[in-house]
Amino acid sequence: IVYNQLAYSAKTRGQLRKKLQAEGFEAELIEPLLDKFEAAKLIDDAEYAQMFVAQKSRTKKLSRAALRRELAERGVRGEEAENALAQRTDEQEREDAAELVRKKLRPGMDLSDRAEKDKVTRRLLGMLARRGYSSSVSMSVIREELADYGLVAHMVGYGAEAVILGDARHIVLAVVLPQCFVVPHDAL
């Protein structure tokens, strides 16, 4: 059973313990068996946690709080989980949250309407909360991105086509004429 589980994908000691218990194995047999697999380096919760955090933060843009919760559900807690979570910085989390918000802002949104802006803000807050971002980080990122979006939408209203490329430090605007200019984020 353990070999079959490990052949499918990497598993934590806690996941394998739950599987063996569900199959009806007694606790006196489970722990020595898992010890043997761990000694043979077939189970390594620390390595699993490192790979899990790297993959989930890259694909799902989860915050450290959400990653910590998911690791705990898989049986990885304490120092192993914290060491894996240390690879995520506050700046990376903030950038990921900003990227998620930018993806949700559609070109035709009219944020000059207060009701529409409030509705968009509530939806963005909910989306970030489900990914584990704190309300303070979420509100800060949403305010910044909505301000940037409002500036770009205003310029588009005057005949410019706007494209946001890369990080939020530069906004690249392609004007109807075949010219381009870069506005540093600090100058906004």
Side-chain angles (χ1 to χ4, degrees):
I1 294 174
V2 174
Y3 281 121
N4 287 339
Q5 290 293 306
L6 293 172
Y8 180 69
S9 67
K11 300 277 191 262
T12 65
R13 186 180 179 104
Q15 289 173 313
L16 293 171
R17 183 182 305 111
K18 283 181 187 176
K19 180 67 175 174
L20 291 171
Q21 287 171 342
E23 293 289 331
F25 286 88
E26 297 177 19
E28 303 86 43
L29 298 174
I30 293 174
E31 291 307 317
L33 178 65
L34 293 178
D35 289 340
K36 288 180 183 180
F37 276 91
E38 200 167 327
K41 303 273 188 225
L42 294 173
I43 302 172
D44 187 351
D45 284 357
E47 184 179 329
Y48 177 90
Q50 291 286 339
M51 290 187 311
F52 182 83
V53 168
Q55 191 248 347
K56 292 293 183 182
S57 59
R58 185 177 58 249
T59 58
K60 292 194 176 218
K61 307 286 187 210
L62 295 177
S63 71
R64 283 188 300 248
L67 290 167
R68 184 177 292 111
R69 190 172 45 250
E70 288 202 20
L71 284 172
E73 288 172 6
R74 288 164 172 75
V76 181
R77 292 179 178 84
E79 189 177 326
E80 291 171 334
E82 293 306 316
N83 287 341
L85 292 168
Q87 62 184 297
R88 296 274 294 152
T89 65
D90 291 339
E91 185 61 31
Q92 287 172 325
E93 274 198 3
R94 196 169 177 73
E95 284 296 320
D96 286 348
E99 184 179 334
L100 288 167
V101 169
R102 282 191 297 269
K103 282 183 182 180
K104 294 291 183 183
L105 293 175
R106 294 181 315 276
M109 291 180 155
D110 179 21
L111 297 180
S112 62
D113 178 23
R114 184 69 180 172
E116 178 70 15
K117 187 174 182 178
D118 288 346
K119 180 175 84 171
V120 168
T121 301
R122 277 193 313 276
R123 288 181 178 175
L124 292 170
L125 274 171
M127 182 259 309
L128 291 175
R130 285 187 295 278
R131 285 180 168 82
Y133 291 95
S134 69
S135 58
S136 62
V137 168
S138 297
M139 278 308 296
S140 171
V141 166
I142 290 169
R143 272 192 217 108
E144 289 172 12
E145 293 303 320
L146 288 180
D148 289 349
Y149 179 83
L151 174 67
V152 170
H154 180 72
M155 291 180 154
V156 168
Y158 285 105
E161 285 186 38
V163 181
I164 299 177
L165 300 174
D167 59 15
R169 299 189 203 305
H170 295 87
I171 297 176
V172 178
L173 296 174
V175 182
V176 174
L177 302 172
Q179 298 175 346
C180 246
F181 60 93
V182 176
V183 180
H185 187 275
D186 299 340
L188 301 177

